[in-house]
mmCIF file of all heavy atoms in Angstrom:
data_model
loop_
_atom_site.group_PDB
_atom_site.id
_atom_site.type_symbol
_atom_site.label_atom_id
_atom_site.label_comp_id
_atom_site.label_asym_id
_atom_site.label_seq_id
_atom_site.Cartn_x
_atom_site.Cartn_y
_atom_site.Cartn_z
ATOM 1 N N GLU P 1 -17.329 124.995 110.350
ATOM 2 C CA GLU P 1 -18.325 124.155 109.687
ATOM 3 C C GLU P 1 -19.055 123.230 110.654
ATOM 4 O O GLU P 1 -20.273 123.045 110.559
ATOM 5 C CB GLU P 1 -17.647 123.334 108.588
ATOM 6 C CG GLU P 1 -17.105 124.190 107.450
ATOM 7 C CD GLU P 1 -16.232 123.402 106.494
ATOM 8 O OE1 GLU P 1 -16.124 122.158 106.686
ATOM 9 O OE2 GLU P 1 -15.646 124.002 105.581
ATOM 10 N N ARG P 2 -18.315 122.623 111.570
ATOM 11 C CA ARG P 2 -18.930 121.648 112.470
ATOM 12 C C ARG P 2 -19.406 122.261 113.772
ATOM 13 O O ARG P 2 -20.235 121.675 114.481
ATOM 14 C CB ARG P 2 -17.936 120.510 112.769
ATOM 15 C CG ARG P 2 -17.648 119.596 111.573
ATOM 16 C CD ARG P 2 -16.688 118.503 111.956
ATOM 17 N NE ARG P 2 -17.150 117.767 113.125
ATOM 18 C CZ ARG P 2 -16.368 116.986 113.869
ATOM 19 N NH1 ARG P 2 -15.092 116.855 113.573
ATOM 20 N NH2 ARG P 2 -16.871 116.350 114.914
ATOM 21 N N GLY P 3 -18.873 123.406 114.126
ATOM 22 C CA GLY P 3 -19.180 123.963 115.433
ATOM 23 C C GLY P 3 -18.335 123.290 116.503
ATOM 24 O O GLY P 3 -17.608 122.329 116.234
ATOM 25 N N TYR P 4 -18.415 123.765 117.735
ATOM 26 C CA TYR P 4 -17.557 123.247 118.790
ATOM 27 C C TYR P 4 -18.188 123.455 120.161
ATOM 28 O O TYR P 4 -19.057 124.306 120.359
ATOM 29 C CB TYR P 4 -16.181 123.923 118.753
ATOM 30 C CG TYR P 4 -16.244 125.438 118.788
ATOM 31 C CD1 TYR P 4 -16.412 126.139 119.985
ATOM 32 C CD2 TYR P 4 -16.182 126.177 117.602
ATOM 33 C CE1 TYR P 4 -16.493 127.509 120.014
ATOM 34 C CE2 TYR P 4 -16.278 127.562 117.619
ATOM 35 C CZ TYR P 4 -16.423 128.218 118.819
ATOM 36 O OH TYR P 4 -16.522 129.596 118.843
ATOM 37 N N VAL P 5 -17.724 122.640 121.094
ATOM 38 C CA VAL P 5 -17.999 122.813 122.513
ATOM 39 C C VAL P 5 -16.642 122.919 123.180
ATOM 40 O O VAL P 5 -15.881 121.947 123.219
ATOM 41 C CB VAL P 5 -18.807 121.636 123.095
ATOM 42 C CG1 VAL P 5 -18.934 121.786 124.613
ATOM 43 C CG2 VAL P 5 -20.183 121.545 122.451
ATOM 44 N N PHE P 6 -16.299 124.104 123.663
ATOM 45 C CA PHE P 6 -14.981 124.355 124.241
ATOM 46 C C PHE P 6 -15.086 124.391 125.756
ATOM 47 O O PHE P 6 -15.828 125.195 126.326
ATOM 48 C CB PHE P 6 -14.416 125.678 123.707
ATOM 49 C CG PHE P 6 -13.074 126.043 124.283
ATOM 50 C CD1 PHE P 6 -12.067 125.100 124.443
ATOM 51 C CD2 PHE P 6 -12.812 127.354 124.666
ATOM 52 C CE1 PHE P 6 -10.834 125.446 124.976
ATOM 53 C CE2 PHE P 6 -11.582 127.715 125.193
ATOM 54 C CZ PHE P 6 -10.585 126.754 125.350
ATOM 55 N N ILE P 7 -14.347 123.512 126.436
ATOM 56 C CA ILE P 7 -14.321 123.478 127.900
ATOM 57 C C ILE P 7 -13.270 124.465 128.369
ATOM 58 O O ILE P 7 -12.054 124.221 128.229
ATOM 59 C CB ILE P 7 -14.025 122.060 128.422
ATOM 60 C CG1 ILE P 7 -15.011 121.052 127.820
ATOM 61 C CG2 ILE P 7 -14.096 122.040 129.949
ATOM 62 C CD1 ILE P 7 -16.466 121.338 128.109
ATOM 63 N N ALA P 8 -13.707 125.572 128.910
ATOM 64 C CA ALA P 8 -12.816 126.690 129.225
ATOM 65 C C ALA P 8 -12.498 126.767 130.715
ATOM 66 O O ALA P 8 -13.220 126.224 131.553
ATOM 67 C CB ALA P 8 -13.446 127.995 128.762
ATOM 68 N N ARG P 9 -11.417 127.444 130.999
ATOM 69 C CA ARG P 9 -11.069 127.792 132.373
ATOM 70 C C ARG P 9 -10.813 129.296 132.428
ATOM 71 O O ARG P 9 -10.635 129.951 131.409
ATOM 72 C CB ARG P 9 -9.821 127.019 132.837
ATOM 73 C CG ARG P 9 -10.047 125.541 132.981
ATOM 74 C CD ARG P 9 -8.978 124.909 133.880
ATOM 75 N NE ARG P 9 -7.638 124.978 133.344
ATOM 76 C CZ ARG P 9 -7.122 124.126 132.465
ATOM 77 N NH1 ARG P 9 -7.858 123.143 131.997
ATOM 78 N NH2 ARG P 9 -5.884 124.263 132.033
ATOM 79 N N VAL P 10 -10.767 129.809 133.638
ATOM 80 C CA VAL P 10 -10.594 131.252 133.807
ATOM 81 C C VAL P 10 -9.112 131.569 133.899
ATOM 82 O O VAL P 10 -8.495 131.449 134.959
ATOM 83 C CB VAL P 10 -11.323 131.749 135.075
ATOM 84 C CG1 VAL P 10 -11.130 133.253 135.249
ATOM 85 C CG2 VAL P 10 -12.801 131.413 135.004
ATOM 86 N N ASN P 11 -8.515 131.905 132.768
ATOM 87 C CA ASN P 11 -7.152 132.441 132.747
ATOM 88 C C ASN P 11 -6.916 133.118 131.395
ATOM 89 O O ASN P 11 -7.665 132.893 130.437
ATOM 90 C CB ASN P 11 -6.091 131.376 133.077
ATOM 91 C CG ASN P 11 -5.968 130.304 132.028
ATOM 92 O OD1 ASN P 11 -5.925 130.580 130.840
ATOM 93 N ND2 ASN P 11 -5.896 129.062 132.479
ATOM 94 N N PRO P 12 -5.896 133.962 131.271
ATOM 95 C CA PRO P 12 -5.709 134.769 130.063
ATOM 96 C C PRO P 12 -5.579 133.972 128.780
ATOM 97 O O PRO P 12 -6.091 134.397 127.734
ATOM 98 C CB PRO P 12 -4.418 135.548 130.365
ATOM 99 C CG PRO P 12 -4.388 135.647 131.858
ATOM 100 C CD PRO P 12 -4.958 134.358 132.346
ATOM 101 N N ARG P 13 -4.899 132.822 128.802
ATOM 102 C CA ARG P 13 -4.710 132.105 127.537
ATOM 103 C C ARG P 13 -6.027 131.511 127.033
ATOM 104 O O ARG P 13 -6.242 131.423 125.831
ATOM 105 C CB ARG P 13 -3.624 131.037 127.653
ATOM 106 C CG ARG P 13 -3.956 129.835 128.516
ATOM 107 C CD ARG P 13 -2.827 128.836 128.451
ATOM 108 N NE ARG P 13 -3.166 127.577 129.087
ATOM 109 C CZ ARG P 13 -2.713 126.403 128.669
ATOM 110 N NH1 ARG P 13 -1.916 126.336 127.631
ATOM 111 N NH2 ARG P 13 -3.061 125.299 129.304
ATOM 112 N N PHE P 14 -6.910 131.108 127.947
ATOM 113 C CA PHE P 14 -8.229 130.648 127.533
ATOM 114 C C PHE P 14 -9.035 131.821 126.978
ATOM 115 O O PHE P 14 -9.744 131.679 125.975
ATOM 116 C CB PHE P 14 -8.972 129.995 128.692
ATOM 117 C CG PHE P 14 -8.606 128.555 128.911
ATOM 118 C CD1 PHE P 14 -7.467 128.212 129.624
ATOM 119 C CD2 PHE P 14 -9.385 127.537 128.392
ATOM 120 C CE1 PHE P 14 -7.124 126.886 129.824
ATOM 121 C CE2 PHE P 14 -9.051 126.203 128.594
ATOM 122 C CZ PHE P 14 -7.920 125.879 129.313
ATOM 123 N N ASN P 15 -8.930 132.973 127.614
ATOM 124 C CA ASN P 15 -9.646 134.151 127.140
ATOM 125 C C ASN P 15 -9.203 134.542 125.739
ATOM 126 O O ASN P 15 -10.029 134.913 124.890
ATOM 127 C CB ASN P 15 -9.435 135.327 128.102
ATOM 128 C CG ASN P 15 -10.020 135.065 129.477
ATOM 129 O OD1 ASN P 15 -10.877 134.198 129.652
ATOM 130 N ND2 ASN P 15 -9.556 135.808 130.467
ATOM 131 N N GLU P 16 -7.904 134.438 125.474
ATOM 132 C CA GLU P 16 -7.381 134.787 124.155
ATOM 133 C C GLU P 16 -7.864 133.808 123.096
ATOM 134 O O GLU P 16 -8.232 134.208 121.985
ATOM 135 C CB GLU P 16 -5.848 134.824 124.191
ATOM 136 C CG GLU P 16 -5.176 135.107 122.853
ATOM 137 C CD GLU P 16 -5.559 136.448 122.248
ATOM 138 O OE1 GLU P 16 -6.050 137.333 122.984
ATOM 139 O OE2 GLU P 16 -5.360 136.621 121.025
ATOM 140 N N LEU P 17 -7.868 132.515 123.424
ATOM 141 C CA LEU P 17 -8.347 131.527 122.462
ATOM 142 C C LEU P 17 -9.830 131.735 122.157
ATOM 143 O O LEU P 17 -10.253 131.648 120.997
ATOM 144 C CB LEU P 17 -8.116 130.110 122.991
ATOM 145 C CG LEU P 17 -8.636 128.987 122.083
ATOM 146 C CD1 LEU P 17 -7.985 129.053 120.702
ATOM 147 C CD2 LEU P 17 -8.410 127.625 122.714
ATOM 148 N N ILE P 18 -10.618 132.008 123.188
ATOM 149 C CA ILE P 18 -12.042 132.256 122.965
ATOM 150 C C ILE P 18 -12.236 133.425 122.006
ATOM 151 O O ILE P 18 -13.107 133.399 121.124
ATOM 152 C CB ILE P 18 -12.751 132.514 124.308
ATOM 153 C CG1 ILE P 18 -12.789 131.230 125.139
ATOM 154 C CG2 ILE P 18 -14.166 133.046 124.084
ATOM 155 C CD1 ILE P 18 -13.257 131.423 126.556
ATOM 156 N N ARG P 19 -11.395 134.440 122.147
ATOM 157 C CA ARG P 19 -11.485 135.603 121.250
ATOM 158 C C ARG P 19 -11.228 135.193 119.801
ATOM 159 O O ARG P 19 -11.852 135.733 118.874
ATOM 160 C CB ARG P 19 -10.478 136.669 121.694
ATOM 161 C CG ARG P 19 -10.597 137.983 120.953
ATOM 162 C CD ARG P 19 -9.498 138.952 121.366
ATOM 163 N NE ARG P 19 -8.191 138.503 120.935
ATOM 164 C CZ ARG P 19 -7.709 138.656 119.693
ATOM 165 N NH1 ARG P 19 -8.450 139.266 118.768
ATOM 166 N NH2 ARG P 19 -6.497 138.246 119.382
ATOM 167 N N LEU P 20 -10.326 134.213 119.596
ATOM 168 C CA LEU P 20 -9.948 133.805 118.249
ATOM 169 C C LEU P 20 -10.908 132.791 117.628
ATOM 170 O O LEU P 20 -10.954 132.647 116.407
ATOM 171 C CB LEU P 20 -8.534 133.199 118.262
ATOM 172 C CG LEU P 20 -7.386 134.154 118.615
ATOM 173 C CD1 LEU P 20 -6.089 133.370 118.730
ATOM 174 C CD2 LEU P 20 -7.269 135.271 117.578
ATOM 175 N N LEU P 21 -11.650 132.067 118.464
ATOM 176 C CA LEU P 21 -12.543 131.036 117.940
ATOM 177 C C LEU P 21 -13.655 131.661 117.105
ATOM 178 O O LEU P 21 -14.140 132.748 117.421
ATOM 179 C CB LEU P 21 -13.149 130.225 119.085
ATOM 180 C CG LEU P 21 -12.185 129.294 119.834
ATOM 181 C CD1 LEU P 21 -12.895 128.640 121.008
ATOM 182 C CD2 LEU P 21 -11.606 128.224 118.901
ATOM 183 N N PRO P 22 -14.078 130.954 116.041
ATOM 184 C CA PRO P 22 -15.073 131.529 115.129
ATOM 185 C C PRO P 22 -16.490 131.467 115.697
ATOM 186 O O PRO P 22 -16.778 130.750 116.656
ATOM 187 C CB PRO P 22 -14.954 130.640 113.883
ATOM 188 C CG PRO P 22 -14.536 129.309 114.428
ATOM 189 C CD PRO P 22 -13.607 129.634 115.578
ATOM 190 N N GLY P 23 -17.378 132.209 115.053
ATOM 191 C CA GLY P 23 -18.798 132.104 115.335
ATOM 192 C C GLY P 23 -19.294 133.008 116.452
ATOM 193 O O GLY P 23 -18.509 133.611 117.191
ATOM 194 N N GLU P 24 -20.621 133.083 116.541
ATOM 195 C CA GLU P 24 -21.267 133.832 117.612
ATOM 196 C C GLU P 24 -21.379 132.924 118.825
ATOM 197 O O GLU P 24 -22.194 132.009 118.868
ATOM 198 C CB GLU P 24 -22.658 134.286 117.167
ATOM 199 C CG GLU P 24 -23.364 135.150 118.197
ATOM 200 C CD GLU P 24 -24.721 135.629 117.717
ATOM 201 O OE1 GLU P 24 -24.996 135.521 116.507
ATOM 202 O OE2 GLU P 24 -25.510 136.095 118.569
ATOM 203 N N LYS P 25 -20.545 133.164 119.815
ATOM 204 C CA LYS P 25 -20.370 132.225 120.925
ATOM 205 C C LYS P 25 -21.470 132.371 121.974
ATOM 206 O O LYS P 25 -21.870 133.476 122.331
ATOM 207 C CB LYS P 25 -18.996 132.437 121.563
ATOM 208 C CG LYS P 25 -17.845 132.418 120.557
ATOM 209 C CD LYS P 25 -16.548 132.892 121.179
ATOM 210 C CE LYS P 25 -15.476 133.048 120.119
ATOM 211 N NZ LYS P 25 -15.699 134.237 119.250
ATOM 212 N N LYS P 26 -21.896 131.209 122.482
ATOM 213 C CA LYS P 26 -22.808 131.147 123.608
ATOM 214 C C LYS P 26 -22.033 130.621 124.813
ATOM 215 O O LYS P 26 -21.307 129.629 124.705
ATOM 216 C CB LYS P 26 -23.992 130.229 123.313
ATOM 217 C CG LYS P 26 -24.850 130.660 122.130
ATOM 218 C CD LYS P 26 -25.645 131.926 122.448
ATOM 219 C CE LYS P 26 -26.593 132.248 121.295
ATOM 220 N NZ LYS P 26 -27.384 133.470 121.568
#
């Protein structure tokens, strides 16, 4: 509903979370 800004790093657990996060990601 609110949207998000996710500060990511390059590693598998971040990649997995990004896969689970909702919406069409930019």
